[in-house]
Amino acid sequence: MSPAKQLRARMADTGLVHIMAAHSPLSAILAEEAGFDGLWASGFELSALYGVADMSMISMTQHLDMLRAIAGRTTLPIVADIDTGYGNAINVIHAIREYERAGTSAVVIEDKTFPKVTSLVAGGRQQLLRIEEFQGKIAAAVATRQDPDFLVIARTEALIAGLGEAEALHRASAYVDAGADMILIHSKEKDPLEIESFSRAWNKLVPLVIVPNAYPDLDAERVKALGNIRMMIYGNYGVRAAATAMQETFRRIIADGGVQNVHKDILPVEEVFRLQRMDEIKAAEARFLR
Ligand code: SPV
Ligand code: MG
């Protein structure tokens, strides 16, 4: 079964899939071991990893390189965050070919202008594309995919841009008309009410995707009660968790004047060896090194 088919099957079986952001093969391996259904090749996470803002500064090549490295070390389906699609509908055609070839099961394309501004920043200049132009991008993605199970997810930033629920519903419907398989509705409100209200007002069969970064109180139980959200993406939790651990550990090493205390609280190297599949290397050494 292709990873894309696997993702669709899992959604049908469980009603809701849990997708963890990955910014590296190591984070992908850890997400797979933890039991997530898939991985989010997050633009925010990769930008943070490079120490730059999530504002179209990471190139498609950089994102694809990391995605290929991730795909090489996990069996989980990958949902790629391709931001605005790297240009117009023609660029989207090129992007879909590249991402599908790289082993992606789904892409999310957002209806902002290029260069995009990261969604959650206070006072962000959020400009949306004309609806017809974005419909062209979605239609181009759908027409380009080779695997019919490959998901084209249209993301509207209407709520992020402060345009209100009616505009968000209008845009989401237009993107369904253009062929989107799912709609990602994003919000930066701390209160999940905005998302719950959209979900209740959404009367199309096409299911919804959410990224509860700003509104963490919307847990899986509440999401399931809404009935039409099939995918939850934990969009920046990997890089924030990693940065939290590094910040604390590095601070303690400076404060303690050495590693005499922190070494007990971090992964032993043997665990890193396990994640690196050192046992396979040992077996290959015994078999082939002569
Ligand atoms: C990402 O993880 O890159 C996202 C989610 O797009 S957010 O940063 O909340 O917009
Ligand atoms: Mg993103």
Side-chain angles (χ1 to χ4, degrees), residues 43-44 54 81 83 116 155:
F44 180 95
D54 182 17
D81 175 10
D83 288 351
K116 56 84 66 75
R155 163 171 168 173

Coordinates of all heavy atoms in Angstrom, one line a residue, residues 43-44 54 81 83 116 155, ligand 2:
G43 N 7.0 24.1 7.4 CA 7.8 25.3 7.0 C 8.3 26.0 8.2 O 9.4 26.5 8.3
F44 N 7.4 26.1 9.2 CA 7.8 26.9 10.4 C 9.0 26.2 11.1 O 10.0 26.8 11.5 CB 6.6 26.9 11.4 CG 6.9 27.6 12.7 CD1 6.6 29.0 12.8 CD2 7.4 27.0 13.7 CE1 6.8 29.6 14.0 CE2 7.7 27.6 14.9 CZ 7.4 29.0 15.1
D54 N 9.7 32.3 9.3 CA 8.9 31.5 8.4 C 8.2 32.4 7.4 O 7.0 32.7 7.5 CB 7.9 30.6 9.2 CG 7.1 29.7 8.3 OD1 7.5 29.5 7.1 OD2 6.0 29.3 8.8
D81 N 4.2 20.8 3.8 CA 3.8 22.2 3.9 C 4.5 23.0 2.8 O 5.6 23.3 3.0 CB 4.2 22.7 5.3 CG 3.9 24.2 5.5 OD1 3.2 24.8 4.7 OD2 4.3 24.7 6.5
D83 N 3.7 25.9 1.6 CA 3.4 27.3 1.7 C 2.5 27.8 0.6 O 1.4 27.2 0.4 CB 4.7 28.1 1.8 CG 5.4 28.0 3.1 OD1 4.8 27.4 4.0 OD2 6.6 28.5 3.2
K116 N 5.2 34.7 1.7 CA 4.2 34.7 2.8 C 4.8 35.2 4.1 O 6.0 35.3 4.3 CB 3.7 33.2 3.0 CG 4.7 32.1 3.3 CD 5.2 31.9 4.7 CE 4.3 31.4 5.7 NZ 3.9 30.0 5.7
R155 N -5.5 25.4 2.0 CA -5.5 26.0 3.3 C -5.9 27.5 3.1 O -5.3 28.2 2.3 CB -4.1 26.0 3.9 CG -3.8 26.9 5.0 CD -2.4 26.6 5.6 NE -1.9 27.6 6.5 CZ -0.8 27.4 7.3 NH1 -0.1 26.3 7.2 NH2 -0.4 28.4 8.1
Ligands
MG2 MG 3.8 26.6 7.4

